[in-house]
Amino acid sequence: MKFRYFPLIAVSMILSGCGSMSFGDTALHTFGVLIEASEIKDCYDGGGDRELCEGRY
């Protein structure tokens, strides 16, 4: 996992513990999607094909 996303994940985890569970869950899901998209893009940039890059998701 990339460290630049850590502060965003930490904030959403704190919010989910403060009673705004749906917002925190939505934020965590959104960040998860962004991380996956970044990993897929890095795979394509590294010369991977669709099966290699998107097959694990």
Side-chain angles (χ1 to χ4, degrees):
M1 182 169 78
K2 299 191 187 288
F3 290 109
R4 63 182 176 201
Y5 296 113
F6 181 75
L8 298 174
I9 293 170
V11 168
S12 62
M13 287 176 66
I14 291 168
L15 288 174
S16 69
C18 292
S20 58
M21 185 63 87
S22 63
F23 175 76
D25 288 344
T26 302
L28 282 175
H29 178 71
T30 301
F31 296 133
V33 169
L34 291 175
I35 290 169
E36 286 178 12
S38 176
E39 290 174 355
I40 290 172
K41 181 184 179 302
D42 291 343
C43 180
Y44 276 117
D45 289 346
D49 62 357
R50 183 176 182 169
E51 183 177 330
L52 175 68
C53 296
E54 296 182 31
R56 57 188 159 175
Y57 296 104

